[in-house]
Amino acid sequence: MTADLWTAFYIAILTAFVGYEVISRVPVLLHTPLMSGSNFIHGIVLVGGIVVLGLATTSLEEAIGLVAVIMGAMNVTGGYVVTERILAMFDRSKKKGGPP
Amino acid sequence: MIAWQTPLVDGVYVLAILVFVLGLRSMSSPTTARRGIVLAGVAMLVAVAVTVLLPGISNFGLIALGVIIGGLAGWYWARVVQMTAMPQMVAIFNGMGGGAAGAIAAVELLVALGNPVTAGLSLAGAIIGSVSIAGSIIAFLKLQGWLRSKPIVFPVQQPLNLTVLAVALAFGGYAAYTVQTFWLLPFFVLLLLFGILFALPIGGADMPVVISLFNAFTGIAVALDGFALVNGPLGDAGYALVIAGTLVGAAGSLLTLLMAKAMNRSVGNVLFGAFGATEETGTTMQGSMKPIDAESAAVEMAYANEVIIVPGYGMAVAQAQQKVKELADLLESKGVTVKFAIHPVAGRMPGHMNVLLAEAGISYDKLFDRDEINSEFPTVDVALVIGANDVVNPAAHRQGSALFGMPILDVDQAHNVIVIKRGQGKGFAGIENDLFYKENTRMLYGDAQAAVGQLVAALKKS
């Protein structure tokens, strides 16, 4: 266990509380965009995919790393577009005829 | 000497994390939410782009290829899909994240199987990531209707599932113990099988819980991969995964608990209870279902002071939200107050009804959740139930019913109830609905889109 790893554990514990606090205020109305927005944020997995593919040396590692990057990229773009599309519908400024 | 690239990349990651947290926080209000997600999108783009600057990264061609294939596929698919298919889209993109986390764990295991700490973390990441992708794909197939949405059950199901998981863990442990990568193959195959078996017995109506649970799973898998990366040569990227993954893990877990609570069931009961697999028998209902025609129903609503509309999954299936909007507008033009009562688990994902009604252009001021509106039912003239069943079933107040204790919308208290329903069948839970047999309830049979269309036509004539 390196010191870096312990640091990461400390950060993770604090982050879990931040996540809980931030989310517990979201109204039912926005549960779908919340879920799909957090779905987009774990698309950060793409960064991990790029790292393992970038460091891969054997063709097996490269193949699996490529799968990770493709899936990660799908997660991040799909998650973003879905969230954006949903939120666009809640955006009043784009709606005609709605209350001001 | 530290190259200039590393501090730059680290700085970008720190800023990206800050924007992610602020982006999630902006979700607490519909007016700020969109700006939040756009900012988070920009932060994500920059974070991904600078990652290739990290020292030691090569294989740029493959990286570009993967990003382009996956990015275009995800972008295109999410753009063209119908709004009504959103639950399965969320499920499949979440599954892709889980798969990516599993694949990263696999590469980590190939590279550093001899390091017990990295191996342990990667094995954990592999388990959760694999279950997430396999389970999400089953959820996708069920939501898409390509797989039966009722629970798929067979004898000794749970013991079999546990055995598969235990054997998978044994292979993984053996691989790490002997440092022989070959044993990782059966480990992953069995994990994927377990993920499939795990999701099969979970029924369609329980999907709001399941989708948020798999979302939390993917977040946790990403965080575990992050720990493994922190323990490797390029730890910088690992921290970003740890923080973003933990954030999603916490958010997803909280949402999962909220959804389970809205059904008054434990998460364990949702996952392993195979709810809705069996139909209730033996209860005989008092009275009969009394039909009504669209004209009479339209008149009843037109002369009401207030109408509360209760949408359910039937509205989503029939894609009736536009017609519902037309109906609400017509009623309002006749001076009727129209409100919408939204049950937290109506539909197939958290907030499903809100999204569909927003798509139709219904202002979110008119949408009320259970706690806000339940006290209004006793004074409302007409409650119009469109394709909702279990969430309005007063059997939830009856001791011994499978629904007992579930917080429902108290539609049965309204002066008059009109229920739009395709046929006389039972709801997802397989339980007779007392509401349909009540003295003041009238049934308007038909597909939600057609039935609401008839109401609209009748209102236009009058």
Side-chain angles (χ1 to χ4, degrees):
Chain A
M1 295 283 283
T2 61
D4 283 353
L5 197 54
W6 284 113
T7 312
F9 280 123
Y10 288 126
I11 296 173
I13 290 168
L14 296 175
T15 308
F17 283 101
V18 171
Y20 184 90
E21 284 303 317
V22 168
I23 302 314
S24 51
R25 274 185 248 149
V26 175
V28 177
L29 171 71
L30 292 172
H31 274 169
T32 296
L34 164 69
M35 183 181 59
S36 121
S38 57
N39 184 11
F40 156 69
I41 284 172
H42 68 52
I44 193 84
V45 73
L46 175 57
V47 165
I50 291 175
V51 169
V52 296
L53 177 55
L55 297 177
T57 47
T58 69
S59 33
L60 179 60
E61 288 166 26
E62 282 175 1
I64 302 175
L66 182 62
V67 170
V69 169
I70 291 175
M71 285 185 166
M74 271 187 83
N75 177 188
V76 80
T77 55
Y80 177 81
V81 173
V82 165
T83 311
E84 213 274 337
R85 275 184 69 184
I86 293 169
L87 288 176
M89 297 180 320
F90 288 111
D91 196 342
R92 285 175 197 219
S93 55
K94 299 272 148 76
K95 284 258 150 66
K96 286 169 216 139
Chain B
M1 197 193 81
I2 300 176
W4 60 270
Q5 288 97 334
T6 310
L8 170 74
V9 174
D10 281 328
V12 168
Y13 288 159
V14 169
L15 283 176
I17 293 296
L18 180 68
V19 176
F20 291 164
V21 175
L22 291 177
L24 277 181
R25 190 165 173 275
S26 71
M27 296 277 180
S28 53
S29 155
T31 49
T32 56
R34 195 178 184 191
R35 198 176 53 218
I37 194 69
V38 172
L39 278 176
V42 174
M44 181 70 81
L45 192 65
V46 179
V48 168
V50 296
T51 300
V52 294
L53 294 175
L54 283 171
I57 298 276
S58 58
N59 287 333
F60 296 111
L62 279 178
I63 292 174
L65 181 72
V67 169
I68 291 169
I69 293 176
L72 285 181
W75 191 275
Y76 178 75
W77 201 3
R79 269 273 158 243
V80 297
V81 81
Q82 287 281 323
M83 221 56 219
T84 37
M86 278 301 141
Q88 51 265 49
M89 283 296 106
V90 173
I92 198 69
F93 291 131
N94 177 57
M96 290 297 121
I104 291 168
V107 178
E108 283 292 312
L109 285 169
L110 287 176
V111 175
L113 194 56
N115 179 330
V117 176
T118 304
L121 291 165
S122 301
L123 285 173
I127 294 164
I128 300 176
S130 307
V131 173
S132 178
I133 183 178
S136 295
I137 288 174
I138 295 298
F140 169 82
L141 293 174
K142 285 190 174 211
L143 289 164
Q144 186 79 7
W146 293 345
L147 204 63
R148 215 157 63 96
S149 112
K150 283 254 165 191
I152 296 170
V153 286
F154 48 84
V156 298
Q157 189 164 26
Q158 296 305 344
L160 174 76
N161 294 2
L162 271 180
T163 310
V164 171
L165 179 63
V167 176
L169 294 182
F171 276 118
Y174 188 72
Y177 182 68
T178 59
V179 198
Q180 287 177 340
T181 50
F182 171 78
W183 300 108
L184 294 172
L185 184 65
F187 169 69
F188 274 102
V189 170
L190 286 174
L191 278 181
L192 293 172
L193 177 64
F194 172 73
I196 294 170
L197 292 169
F198 175 79
L200 280 179
I202 306 174
D206 288 341
M207 283 301 160
V209 179
V210 175
I211 292 184
S212 27
L213 180 78
F214 284 141
N215 195 25
F217 271 16
T218 302
I220 294 167
V222 170
L224 286 164
D225 282 357
F227 286 125
L229 289 177
V230 166
N231 214 34
L234 281 182
D236 313 77
Y239 287 107
L241 267 71
V242 166
I243 298 175
T246 309
L247 206 56
V248 177
S253 306
L254 181 61
L255 196 56
T256 309
L257 291 174
L258 281 178
M259 289 301 118
K261 208 174 135 204
M263 299 197 280
N264 190 42
R265 288 159 57 203
S266 69
V267 176
N269 178 279
V270 173
L271 298 182
F272 306 115
F275 198 72
T278 49
E279 299 222 337
E280 185 186 49
T281 48
T283 39
T284 44
M285 304 307 295
Q286 304 284 321
S288 59
M289 294 194 199
K290 294 164 281 291
I292 192 172
D293 58 61
E295 282 72 24
S296 321
V299 169
E300 209 172 289
M301 285 193 285
Y303 287 99
N305 284 318
E306 186 181 354
V307 172
I308 296 183
I309 299 179
V310 182
Y313 185 56
M315 184 188 79
V317 173
Q319 306 204 16
Q321 61 270 25
Q322 294 292 348
K323 285 277 169 216
V324 171
K325 154 89 171 155
E326 252 184 88
L327 176 68
D329 286 349
L330 270 171
L331 286 172
E332 282 179 339
S333 71
K334 292 179 187 298
V336 182
T337 308
V338 179
K339 290 180 178 174
F340 290 83
I342 313 286
H343 194 279
V345 295
R348 291 294 184 262
M349 67 177 170
H352 195 181
M353 293 301 123
N354 303 85
V355 171
L356 292 177
L357 295 175
E359 187 207 5
I362 292 166
S363 168
Y364 53 79
D365 304 324
K366 294 182 190 138
L367 313 183
F368 297 89
D369 61 27
R370 204 188 72 86
D371 298 338
E372 290 172 317
I373 205 161
N374 238 1
S375 57
E376 286 189 31
F377 279 110
T379 55
V380 77
D381 305 301
V382 180
L384 175 65
V385 177
I386 306 178
N389 194 337
D390 294 335
V391 297
V392 294
N393 192 343
H397 297 309
R398 194 177 65 212
Q399 200 113 27
S401 164
L403 287 174
F404 178 67
M406 172 165 163
I408 57 159
L409 290 163
D410 293 324
V411 171
D412 56 316
Q413 317 240 318
H415 295 165
N416 294 293
V417 182
I418 298 169
V419 178
I420 295 180
K421 199 170 177 310
R422 251 188 307 193
Q424 302 200 337
K426 294 168 187 168
F428 184 84
I431 296 164
E432 287 282 8
N433 196 331
D434 306 17
L435 176 71
F436 303 160
Y437 295 88
K438 282 187 66 98
E439 203 46 54
N440 56 348
T441 303
R442 294 290 177 274
M443 308 297 291
L444 178 55
Y445 292 114
D447 158 88
Q449 169 135 303
V452 179
Q454 287 163 15
L455 288 176
V456 168
L459 276 175
K460 275 182 182 159
K461 268 188 285 177
S462 67

